[in-house]
Amino acid sequence: MKALSIIPILVFSTWALLFVSCSDDVALTGEQEIYFEVHYTNQAWGNQFKGFLIDKQGLVRTYDKPASWKDIDGALTLSKENMDANIGQTTVSSTQIAASELDKYIAISRKVNSDSFSKPANGGADLGLVRLYSYTYNADQKTYTAVLLRQTGNVIIQNQDANAAELADWLTKVMDEVY
């Protein structure tokens, strides 16, 4: 008799386990090295090109006019080799992101919709451009795809997704710590 009362519990537990295990989330392979980038360019007062990457350990890796930076302008995609080359041109800063904070923002980045942007608006002259990106990694193709979260400066563009706005606000705070 006791066995009959346990069967519904086992069935329900198995069903709950299967239901909770199914997810539409992006599978994390552990191969993704870089999750975020803040990128500043300005030619108004000489060539300025600097920024930082945030890696999987929460290290903030800065760059300032690297010799052979592989940029994502246009295609918004970088091969793993190009990203590795970029990482090799960075310097680890004293700013580091705590693991719990990084995990939180990585999870938010997985929800960003990159289909809706504001119309470009004039932000001023001689300001340059600050672009804030999150990256997704395709392990099969070994490519990083950048998602624009926000652009400020001469031309302002906003990703309309609320998750993108939250990430951009956070990256702006990190940028204030770094610079």
Side-chain angles (χ1 to χ4, degrees):
M1 197 67 161
K2 282 186 178 182
L4 289 176
S5 63
I6 294 176
I7 291 174
I9 293 171
L10 288 174
V11 169
F12 177 75
S13 297
T14 304
W15 176 80
L17 182 63
L18 289 173
F19 181 74
V20 170
S21 298
C22 295
S23 172
D24 290 336
D25 291 346
V26 175
L28 300 179
T29 65
E31 293 180 45
Q32 183 167 352
E33 292 293 325
I34 300 299
Y35 286 92
F36 303 100
E37 180 176 5
V38 173
H39 177 106
Y40 171 73
T41 58
N42 192 344
Q43 273 68 49
W45 305 102
N47 185 23
Q48 298 179 46
F49 176 59
K50 67 180 183 177
F52 61 86
L53 305 170
I54 300 176
D55 71 13
K56 67 182 179 183
Q57 294 152 348
L59 298 176
V60 177
R61 302 172 157 277
T62 62
Y63 56 88
D64 191 357
K65 293 187 252 178
S68 58
W69 194 259
K70 309 299 184 199
D71 209 353
I72 57 171
D73 282 341
L76 295 180
T77 302
L78 277 178
S79 68
K80 182 180 183 326
E81 294 87 17
N82 285 342
M83 182 62 83
D84 289 346
N86 285 353
I87 293 168
Q89 297 178 78
T90 64
T91 303
V92 176
S93 77
S94 61
T95 303
Q96 184 168 358
I97 310 302
S100 60
E101 184 179 5
L102 181 63
D103 290 344
K104 172 186 171 183
Y105 288 107
I106 288 172
I108 292 169
S109 74
R110 300 294 181 229
K111 300 175 189 174
V112 172
N113 182 341
S114 61
D115 293 337
S116 179
F117 293 93
S118 65
K119 291 182 180 179
N122 185 14
D126 299 339
L127 300 173
L129 293 174
V130 175
R131 293 183 180 128
L132 298 95
Y133 296 105
S134 67
Y135 284 100
T136 58
Y137 182 71
N138 182 318
D140 294 334
Q141 296 178 357
K142 303 223 181 286
T143 57
Y144 286 85
T145 301
V147 175
L148 180 65
L149 305 170
R150 181 180 297 153
Q151 176 178 292
T152 61
N154 292 348
V155 179
I156 299 170
I157 300 173
Q158 303 284 342
N159 184 318
Q160 300 296 338
D161 184 84
N163 293 306
E166 184 176 352
L167 286 170
D169 290 345
W170 171 68
L171 284 170
T172 299
K173 289 178 187 172
V174 174
M175 183 173 58
D176 290 344
E177 289 178 34
V178 174
Y179 299 113

